[in-house]
Amino acid sequence: MSDRVIVGVGVGPGDPGLLTVRAVEALRTAGAVLAPAARREGESLALSIARPHLPEGCAVRTAHFPMSEDPGALSAAWDAAAATLLRLADDGAPAVFITLGDAMLYSTWSYVLAALRRADPAADVRTIPGVTAMSACAAAAGRPLAEGREPLLVWPDEPPTDAAGLLSFAPNVVFMKAGRHLEDLARLADETGAEAVAVTRASQAGARVTDDLRARAGERDYFTTVLMQRTGRGPRGTVQTRGEARR
């Protein structure tokens, strides 16, 4: 193993108070931090969360990750971020990559991690988990994500045309990045009789919670999550089997 130490840190959903103790420890000992930004020279929410814990003299860099589905552009951005982290780690202190939420759930870090392993298999690469956005949303809404033996299904982007099938498969569904789809999800809740709540910017300033999805449909906020639960699930923490549902 080489002397290069690189740490991927999940900084949580927005509230600096939701940083884990381990995350704060990693930030306080960082020699350099690389933060993702959707636009070149753009602001980084992850950096605003982490900055109060960075030591004096810590080098701060941002990496541009295009909002694109072009595999070539994305791969180039991941490889560039990995190369930057390896270069920063050459100075002797740990280089930290920060990412919103949890570092291993729909996170840019997972792609950068793979790029690091390709570029330097001997590097000491570590990951520190963080509080997920869906956990913060459930706390804000006062609704559990799932109970007992219930399954939980997480849908990461645009709902499918047969989204009702998701609720037939699992009684609890989390729709992430739902800001552009609130009208469709409101219609889904109406058609299926499911309970739905939309949480925007959970744990951040200006956080909003509503069960009137249509009222927020015009906002199209990227940081909106919808928690949907099928009604008639049976006693708390249980799921009816197909046979039980027919009785």
Side-chain angles (χ1 to χ4, degrees):
M1 185 169 291
S2 73
D3 293 331
R4 291 166 158 172
V5 177
I6 298 169
V7 187
V9 175
V11 298
D15 181 353
L18 293 178
L19 274 170
T20 67
V21 173
R22 185 63 58 83
V24 171
E25 291 173 348
L27 294 171
R28 287 177 174 170
T29 59
V33 165
L34 185 64
R39 297 184 299 275
R40 295 188 186 280
E41 309 303 326
E43 293 297 316
S44 168
L45 177 57
L47 183 56
S48 70
I49 298 168
R51 194 181 289 278
H53 302 286
L54 300 181
E56 184 177 352
C58 178
V60 176
R61 303 284 187 271
T62 57
H64 169 59
F65 295 97
M67 300 294 284
S68 167
E69 295 185 0
D70 178 359
L74 291 171
S75 181
W78 302 328
D79 288 343
T84 298
L85 287 166
L86 290 169
R87 185 169 62 254
L88 292 171
D90 282 336
D91 290 338
V96 173
F97 182 90
I98 55 177
T99 183
L100 288 174
D102 178 69
M104 289 298 208
L105 181 67
Y106 299 123
S107 170
T108 304
W109 169 245
S110 62
Y111 303 104
V112 175
L113 174 60
L116 285 166
R117 288 172 172 164
R118 290 192 300 268
D120 184 2
D124 183 359
V125 183
R126 310 167 188 175
T127 301
I128 296 175
V131 175
T132 65
M134 73 180 79
S135 295
C137 290
R143 298 189 181 193
L145 291 171
E147 295 179 311
R149 298 171 62 189
E150 295 176 346
L152 173 67
L153 190 153
V154 180
W155 196 263
D157 207 338
E158 181 177 1
T161 54
D162 58 344
L166 302 179
L167 286 164
S168 67
F169 178 77
N172 308 285
V173 182
V174 176
F175 294 94
M176 301 178 67
K177 305 174 187 175
R180 295 184 293 113
H181 312 295
L182 291 181
E183 182 65 38
D184 291 338
L185 292 173
R187 189 179 306 112
L188 172 64
D190 290 344
E191 293 172 353
T192 61
E195 298 176 353
V197 60
V199 184
T200 300
R201 297 184 177 269
S203 85
Q204 302 176 33
R208 301 181 298 281
V209 180
T210 183
D211 59 4
D212 187 354
L213 274 59
R214 287 187 174 88
R216 299 288 187 187
E219 297 179 0
R220 303 172 68 86
D221 194 305
Y222 178 84
F223 292 106
T224 296
T225 297
V226 169
L227 310 179
M228 195 171 292
Q229 294 179 328
R230 188 177 72 217
T231 54
R233 295 178 296 164
R236 288 174 62 84
T238 67
V239 180
Q240 291 180 313
T241 66
R242 292 182 179 178
E244 291 170 335
R246 288 194 294 267
R247 292 173 191 167

